[in-house]
Amino acid sequence: MRVRPRLLALLSLTTLLGCRQPTAELTLTEPSGAEPSGVDSPPVFVEAPRPPEPGPILEWNAVDDRLASLIEGARYRVDYDADHPWTGASSPLVTIVVFYDYQCPFSKRLHESLLPLLSSYGDSLRVVWRQLPLASHPQAELAARHALSAHAQQLFEPMHAWLFDNAKSLSPSNIQAQAGALGLDPMRLSADVDSEWIAGRVQADLELASTRGIRATPTFFINGRLFRGALAPDALEAAIREELAAAQRLVEAGSERREVWARFMAAADDGVIAEPRASSSGPDPNKRYAMQVSGLTPRGAKQPKVEILMCGDFDCPYCSRATATLTDLLKRHKKTLAVYFRHMPLPMHTDAMAAHRAAVAADNQGEFWAMFDLLYADQRARTPADLEAMASKAGLKLAQFRSDIADPATDQLIEQQREFCEKQLDSRGTPTFFINGRPLMGAVPIEEFEKIIKEELAATP
């Protein structure tokens, strides 16, 4: 990890982007105190260290546009400056800028996926970390301030990893104790955490995220290409390989290596990124669909005036975000709202089927919603032992649970519900909601649900 405290901001860009020993002259050495041997011996030379590679140009407008035609695909100008913490290559061909939150489990999952890739592509890959502490995570901003304060003392990496690993216990005292264990100067740390400079760094990241329309974590950009959520490691590596090839084309066409990042940014869109939706196509927003919730297990009012059907995937990060919205809606409309779920595991989520089988098995014992909450609470727990632990927590009979998971009828039910979402409801991604048959796509703000619910309640006697 190369870290750059703010006191280095006045140094040259090369110095900022990596700590290197200064170039030395070739030096002739003799053993100290040795007597002349009377024999001519060849001199012993100490090899001079190689000069550091010049770091990347960070200003996108510092390059010309002669190679712009070689840059393909939609890209966004989400850049960084020399004071942002980063790890990886001093002269990268691929740069990933990550907006993250220390209390977001998907941010941690992405961090863990990046570690082996940084090892594999360390001479070509750089990861830059930009803060996006979400309001829903009360200790996230405190964690962000401590991370940047540790960065100012060149200890960002160990603090960064510890904050992710201890996301559930980020009290000031715990963080301070860890800072001491890492050897951070406690007085300087406390001063920096409360300083306007550190607050300004966090605020600058938040403001860029806001102007670009970034509202979820992790959101990241590989050479400007947008990705959301904790991408599977193989898909993440495939994207890095694609961008490595794109960068090499620029170099082969005459770009200096240090210009690659600036050329990608110069060709990138400077506008707002749209809020994630299930897909570019999907249910007709002007159509009311027949949800057919008979036989599905409801949550909420026994005689609802408004019914919400969710077509969801238990490994979808946007579905997980949306569950908190559903919980709030059920609290607000206890006597008038009921929620239902249909299984729609997506092919990209290879572990999702195990979770959906567990949900069906729990439903067979009358505990669908207990399992629903447990599955979304920890989307990494998908081994048989993990799922059986959830089953025990939900009070299920394990023998029946195992039998139902292995029953071919379970997979048939999941497939039938997935086909219904796709073919009868025109759903193309998750989450897709239907409020009394009216579609709403994506992990949208609660106000969008409330608008439709209000209209439906007004229309219902």
Side-chain angles (χ1 to χ4, degrees), residues 374-395:
L374 292 167
L375 290 167
Y376 276 124
D378 188 353
Q379 291 182 301
R380 294 173 298 176
R382 296 295 183 257
T383 67
D386 291 333
L387 296 173
E388 288 193 7
M390 292 184 190
S392 296
K393 196 169 183 178

Side-chain angles (χ1 to χ4, degrees), residues 38-343:
V39 177
D40 287 336
S41 301
V44 178
F45 288 97
V46 176
E47 183 180 356
R50 296 180 181 179
E53 291 185 59
I57 296 172
L58 301 184
E59 298 80 14
W60 63 269
N61 54 2
V63 296
D64 56 45
D65 61 355
R66 61 190 174 87
L67 302 178
S69 62
L70 298 178
I71 298 174
E72 301 175 345
R75 297 175 192 273
Y76 293 92
R77 189 173 298 145
V78 179
D79 52 7
Y80 67 102
D81 64 35
D83 278 326
H84 281 100
W86 60 268
T87 187
S90 295
S91 183
L93 291 174
V94 179
T95 300
I96 304 178
V97 178
V98 183
F99 285 83
Y100 71 107
D101 175 312
Y102 282 112
Q103 289 190 290
C104 167
F106 306 107
S107 293
K108 180 184 178 184
R109 190 185 299 183
L110 177 64
H111 162 73
E112 292 170 343
S113 296
L114 285 169
L115 291 176
L117 295 173
L118 280 163
S119 177
S120 299
Y121 299 92
D123 59 343
S124 299
L125 176 63
R126 171 181 290 196
V127 177
V128 181
W129 299 98
R130 299 200 65 157
Q131 309 293 329
L132 185 55
L134 302 177
S136 57
H137 295 150
Q139 300 304 319
E141 183 173 353
L142 178 69
R145 288 184 178 223
H146 276 87
L148 294 181
S149 299
H151 172 53
Q153 296 188 45
Q154 302 189 30
L155 284 170
F156 175 82
E157 184 175 15
M159 178 61 82
H160 178 72
W162 184 87
L163 290 167
F164 272 133
D165 289 341
N166 294 272
K168 295 182 179 179
S169 55
L170 295 179
S171 67
S173 59
N174 286 344
I175 299 175
Q176 288 286 345
Q178 177 61 17
L182 293 175
L184 287 160
D185 181 332
M187 293 184 66
R188 181 180 172 189
L189 182 74
S190 296
D192 281 345
V193 166
D194 295 330
S195 69
E196 292 184 5
W197 181 76
I198 290 293
R201 295 296 294 178
V202 175
Q203 187 60 32
D205 285 353
L206 287 167
E207 288 177 359
L208 178 62
S210 178
T211 59
R212 289 291 187 270
I214 301 168
R215 290 187 281 274
T217 57
T219 298
F220 59 102
F221 301 81
I222 306 180
N223 285 351
R225 285 177 56 197
L226 169 66
F227 294 86
R228 293 185 172 102
L231 205 63
D234 55 346
L236 185 58
E237 183 171 13
I240 290 171
R241 286 180 176 273
E242 288 177 8
E243 288 308 305
L244 185 59
Q248 288 169 338
R249 286 194 295 270
L250 290 175
V251 172
E252 290 167 2
S255 173
E256 292 184 33
R257 187 179 180 114
R258 67 192 301 261
E259 296 174 345
V260 166
W261 167 251
R263 291 189 181 280
F264 280 122
M265 291 298 96
D269 187 347
D270 203 23
V272 177
I273 301 164
E275 175 75 13
R277 298 290 182 174
S279 76
S280 58
S281 62
D284 182 348
N286 299 313
K287 179 178 177 180
R288 191 182 292 270
Y289 288 81
M291 300 190 303
Q292 298 184 23
V293 296
S294 177
L296 302 179
T297 302
R299 170 179 261 184
K302 293 182 179 180
Q303 296 182 324
K305 294 182 178 181
V306 178
E307 296 176 321
I308 298 179
L309 171 66
M310 174 183 180
C311 288
D313 177 319
F314 282 114
D315 281 7
C316 165
Y318 302 111
C319 291
S320 180
R321 282 179 54 200
T323 58
T325 300
L326 293 178
T327 299
D328 286 347
L329 289 171
L330 286 166
K331 290 179 180 177
R332 295 183 185 186
H333 306 280
K334 292 180 180 180
K335 297 182 179 181
T336 55
L337 177 65
V339 175
Y340 303 82
F341 182 88
R342 281 192 185 274
H343 300 274

Side-chain angles (χ1 to χ4, degrees), residues 296-452:
L296 302 179
T297 302
R299 170 179 261 184
K302 293 182 179 180
Q303 296 182 324
K305 294 182 178 181
V306 178
E307 296 176 321
I308 298 179
L309 171 66
M310 174 183 180
C311 288
D313 177 319
F314 282 114
D315 281 7
C316 165
Y318 302 111
C319 291
S320 180
R321 282 179 54 200
T323 58
T325 300
L326 293 178
T327 299
D328 286 347
L329 289 171
L330 286 166
K331 290 179 180 177
R332 295 183 185 186
H333 306 280
K334 292 180 180 180
K335 297 182 179 181
T336 55
L337 177 65
V339 175
Y340 303 82
F341 182 88
R342 281 192 185 274
H343 300 274
M344 190 178 167
L346 301 176
M348 71 181 75
H349 296 147
T350 55
D351 294 331
M353 274 299 293
H356 285 270
R357 291 184 185 111
V360 172
D363 200 14
N364 291 344
Q365 297 188 48
E367 293 294 343
F368 172 81
W369 289 104
M371 182 61 75
F372 174 97
D373 292 337
L374 292 167
L375 290 167
Y376 276 124
D378 188 353
Q379 291 182 301
R380 294 173 298 176
R382 296 295 183 257
T383 67
D386 291 333
L387 296 173
E388 288 193 7
M390 292 184 190
S392 296
K393 196 169 183 178
L396 304 183
K397 297 176 181 177
L398 287 182
Q400 183 182 341
F401 179 76
R402 295 177 186 132
S403 176
D404 287 345
I405 281 179
D407 190 340
T410 296
D411 281 12
Q412 291 173 8
L413 174 63
I414 294 169
E415 180 61 20
Q416 288 169 0
Q417 293 200 11
R418 184 188 64 78
E419 286 190 1
F420 185 89
C421 286
E422 291 181 353
K423 296 180 179 180
Q424 302 301 317
L425 301 177
D426 296 332
S427 179
R428 296 292 179 270
T430 58
T432 304
F433 300 95
F434 298 85
I435 306 173
N436 283 359
R438 296 170 60 180
L440 189 60
M441 294 180 288
V444 299
I446 195 169
E447 290 76 16
E448 295 195 36
F449 285 89
E450 287 285 21
K451 179 182 176 182
I452 299 176

